[in-house]
Amino acid sequence: MATGIVGEFLDLKAETDADVLAMQCGDFYEFFADDAELVADELDLSISQKSSHGSSYPMAGVPLSELTPYVNALVERGYRVAVADQYETDGGDHAREIVRVVTPGTVLETSDDDARYLAAVVRYEGTDSDADGPYGLAFADVTTGRFLATTVDDGGDLRAELYRFDPAEVLPGPQVRNDDDLLGAVREDLSGRVTAFDGEAFATGRAQHAVREQFGRETTDSVGLDSELAVRAAGAVLSYVEETGAGVLASMTRLTAYGADDRVDVDATTQRNLEITETMRGDADGSLFDTVDHTVTAAGGRLLREWLTRPRRDRETLADRLDAVEALASAALARDRLREVLGDAYDLERLAARTTSGSAGARELLSVRDTLALLPDLADAIGGTALADSPAAAVLDRVDRDAAADLRDELAEALAEDPPKAKTGGGLLKEGYDEELDELIERHESAKSWLDGLAEREKREHGLSHVTVDRNKTDGYYIQVGKSVADQVPEHYREIKTLKNSKRFVTDELDEKEREVLRLEEARGELEYELFEALRERVAERAELLQDAGRAIAELDALASLATHAAKRDWTRPELTDERRLDVEAGRHPVVEGTTDFVPNDLRLDAERGFLIVTGPNMSGKSTYMRQAALIQLLAQAGSFVPARAAEVGLVDGIYTRVGALDELAQGRSTFMVEMQELSNILHSATEDSLVILDEVGRGTATYDGISIAWAATEYLHNEVRARTLFATHYHELTTLADHLPRVANVHVAVDERDGEVTFLRTVRDGPTNRSYGVHVADLAGVPDPVVSRADEVLDRLREEKAIEARGSRSGEVGDGASSDGDGGEGTQQVVFDLSSGSFAGSGEAGSEADPSPASRNGDAAADATSTPGASGSDAGTAEQFDPEARAVIEELSDVDVAETPPVELLSRVQEWQDRLD
């Protein structure tokens, strides 16, 4: 068993459930045993060996001052890292204790500007394990102090919220952690870590106590958080933050409750399909956020992202944003000046969290000072301009600027202009800030001045040359004399070291001065750091003020960003209405318009025309047309101008999309299954106040099945849900619904076809399309010319229901079911596509181009089933020609219902029939 340092390390590691322990040993943090090998692999550290009690253990370490980036790198990889600091015991020895556990959801110093949420999820205990909700949710961003809580009805809403916030770490409650399907879905949606935490923290009584202690006894009532589930989730988050030692509870000053009535439901599938924050490929470039983001502060970017991923339903809030964007868009000079000032602002929300955790240094406090100093400049940039009477001015008025000025002045009086990074080495505070400190500094500087002039005095007094006075950790202060004159030093010099070209000496007076300098240095450092800590504590007490100022700066930046893009792209202010309407004149796709010569299109959805069936060729722009409709709706409810000549937008409660499914066979779900699950979610979730975008439904199965599903879904959305809907389809049969359902209308993407050449006009017109132009798209995609030409021939014959030659690969060789007999020529057989069965059937007489009758097209199923391989239609046999066992198989085959037989059973029976026939 290990003893000493390694033993202490292993004992501490056993006390924590962290993945890795970093233990302070003097000026280094060390990792031992398995932890050393782990960090060596992850962080490319060198490994040495540490002996203990006859055994050797791997060891790796990092300097004391460099721990943070290494810990952050481990946390970014999903590890929980415990940190043990060293302290001096009463007996003068050193011991260590765990002071902090850094986890993905509680890391303070992040490598990016995005929000970093810690989430907790709770479901009622005692409910059926298969029950789908309701769920309590809480989100805390420890880097800014933001704290939100809500309740959602089911697993779909839960996944949507988690996807929207994208937490770095999720704490599932006791009921949730046993739900493998839900946790599997959460892990599939998120990149963050799922962490099992003490179940007692989720208990009602303990959670309520934690929330009341943090936010006040009446807070839950005052903010409208009346859900026990939400309170339990919030209490668990608070307990976890406290237990990990993040030290940021003081920055969590407000609990914000939000609910379904506040926000537009934009589920995880829709966020991906609309590429709000990342493209379908997972890239940030090319997303909606990337397109409209012109923010100049980290906090402004975070807030703009929040507005886009969590659109609002409150008309008053949206009207204020739109008023501000309109004023900023039209006042270019004032907007540019405002953005210029904003560009010098630091992230006050995160700085507030750093001060409350005690991790902020003098440079961070200088950033607080400099940012608070910008508030008057921001007021000047707004006042006296067209912005003065806009909501932009009201944003800044929410900050207590007098209190901000007082804090700014206090910091200006205290902090040195260029403080060192180290907090305990002196130089943090200005002269004149504290009398006692000034006295210590004066005495310290006087003693250092005596040392600085010692070399010159020794030269003059003793006639020595080549004399220097210096200091190091080993020898302390010393007098160094060149060897050539070393024998001339006075008797009171005591030699302490001989070097190659010189000797080092000390004197009693030098020893005394050294002790005085060190004593004053230590006293100065301790007093200065004590004063600095008191200053930082006073700043931490005003964390709410910093958060208010930081939020105002972020809001001004986000509004200015939207205004900048609106002015740049000639976007227009949407007219918000309570009517169920989306009326867009010359609308454009907000992302695509920036990369191509875009063709604008009109759109009208209202109470009388609430369901548009969109037809047209592949690649003609149907998907872009529908996505731009959804994005215009989303932008309007984010408080943004929209890409259109004019737009009247009725507020919706949700935006739901199904625009194609990525194949998910690896997760055990086929493309068609994913398509049906997404359709099911829409049919269950959408209301008459929703916007639904469907891009192909039913394409992943047989033609008639697909048409049937699409038809039934259209009827259900029209008759029962009554949501505003755009439905793109290649099933032209659906266009006839416009003749029978009053709110359904057809639109199509126009095509110009001249002299065999096809041009996609990208223009949407009323009415259905007359064909799909799929073969033309194949040609555009580079499909070989023989294939395209042959496809054109087959398409023409299919349209005319004429027989088609099924050509073999070469003369004398036939394909499946083909025969070398007949007039069709060697290697071919003439067949007709039977629409009723969705398959090819023999034409009867080779070479015939007559339109087969329904009877001949359908044929006789029994005769088809008993045709021998290679036989022509005239040679078809009957079941009586086979032996009894073969006849029995044929009879069983004719009786089986393929549509109703499970696939596994069907495969098993086919295998059995093959064995019997063999």
Side-chain angles (χ1 to χ4, degrees), residues 511-526:
D511 284 343
E512 178 60 31
K513 283 295 182 181
E514 179 180 22
R515 287 191 292 270
E516 181 183 359
V517 166
L518 294 176
R519 185 172 64 252
L520 291 170
E521 204 169 73
E522 183 179 4
R524 172 186 177 177
E526 288 178 355

Side-chain angles (χ1 to χ4, degrees), residues 348-604:
L348 281 181
E349 290 182 296
R350 285 193 167 171
L351 288 169
R354 295 285 303 277
T355 59
T356 60
S357 71
S359 61
R363 292 173 183 265
E364 283 78 17
L365 295 193
L366 277 179
S367 297
V368 171
R369 179 201 70 180
D370 294 344
T371 305
L372 293 178
L374 296 176
L375 295 179
D377 295 335
L378 291 173
D380 290 342
I382 293 173
T385 71
L387 305 178
D389 297 325
S390 75
V395 170
L396 205 56
D397 289 341
R398 295 198 293 266
V399 182
D400 186 343
R401 297 212 293 273
D402 290 337
D406 291 342
L407 180 56
R408 177 201 65 208
D409 291 342
E410 182 177 357
L411 291 172
E413 292 172 2
L415 296 169
E417 286 302 324
D418 187 21
K421 290 183 179 180
K423 300 172 186 175
T424 57
L428 302 177
L429 303 175
K430 279 184 177 179
E431 183 180 350
Y433 178 67
D434 180 84
E435 290 184 4
E436 183 181 354
L437 177 60
D438 286 347
E439 182 183 346
L440 277 175
I441 291 174
E442 184 179 353
R443 291 167 57 193
H444 182 236
E445 294 299 327
S446 175
K448 286 176 60 180
S449 178
W450 184 90
L451 290 169
D452 291 341
L454 179 59
E456 289 300 321
R457 291 197 302 273
E458 292 300 297
K459 289 179 183 178
R460 289 196 307 268
E461 187 173 343
H462 303 292
L464 299 174
S465 59
H466 303 100
V467 178
T468 58
V469 175
D470 212 337
R471 173 188 183 184
N472 62 32
K473 288 185 177 181
T474 303
D475 302 325
Y477 279 101
Y478 56 82
I479 301 170
Q480 185 163 306
V481 180
K483 271 191 175 179
S484 60
V485 294
D487 55 351
Q488 301 175 21
V489 301
E491 293 182 0
H492 65 278
Y493 274 34
R494 298 195 308 275
E495 183 178 338
I496 59 171
K497 182 175 291 184
T498 299
L499 304 176
K500 181 178 180 181
N501 297 314
S502 61
K503 291 185 178 183
R504 289 178 180 174
F505 303 88
V506 295
T507 67
D508 293 342
E509 187 179 27
L510 181 58
D511 284 343
E512 178 60 31
K513 283 295 182 181
E514 179 180 22
R515 287 191 292 270
E516 181 183 359
V517 166
L518 294 176
R519 185 172 64 252
L520 291 170
E521 204 169 73
E522 183 179 4
R524 172 186 177 177
E526 288 178 355
L527 177 58
E528 187 168 35
Y529 189 59
E530 182 182 321
L531 292 169
F532 174 78
E533 283 189 312
L535 175 66
R536 184 174 59 197
E537 183 63 31
R538 289 194 296 277
V539 176
E541 290 170 358
R542 302 180 211 183
E544 191 168 349
L545 171 64
L546 299 186
Q547 290 167 344
D548 286 342
R551 186 75 176 183
I553 288 171
E555 191 167 342
L556 288 172
D557 192 18
L559 292 168
S561 175
L562 292 176
T564 298
H565 196 78
K568 176 182 178 182
R569 288 292 179 189
D570 194 25
W571 286 13
T572 189
R573 175 174 180 158
E575 179 184 345
L576 303 182
T577 176
D578 291 328
E579 296 182 21
R580 299 179 63 246
R581 170 187 299 274
L582 179 58
D583 196 343
V584 179
E585 180 183 343
R588 311 183 300 277
H589 191 290
V591 179
V592 179
E593 71 165 349
T595 60
T596 187
D597 187 11
F598 197 85
V599 178
N601 276 297
D602 296 344
L603 168 69
R604 180 169 65 85

Side-chain angles (χ1 to χ4, degrees), residues 673-708:
M673 175 59 76
V674 173
E675 178 184 335
M676 290 300 98
Q677 288 175 336
E678 292 177 356
L679 176 62
S680 173
N681 175 62
I682 292 172
L683 296 179
H684 281 100
S685 303
T687 74
E688 66 176 355
D689 291 322
S690 302
L691 176 65
V692 173
I693 304 296
L694 298 175
D695 190 355
E696 301 297 347
V697 168
R699 292 295 300 280
T701 186
T703 302
Y704 280 179
D705 281 354
I707 293 175
S708 301

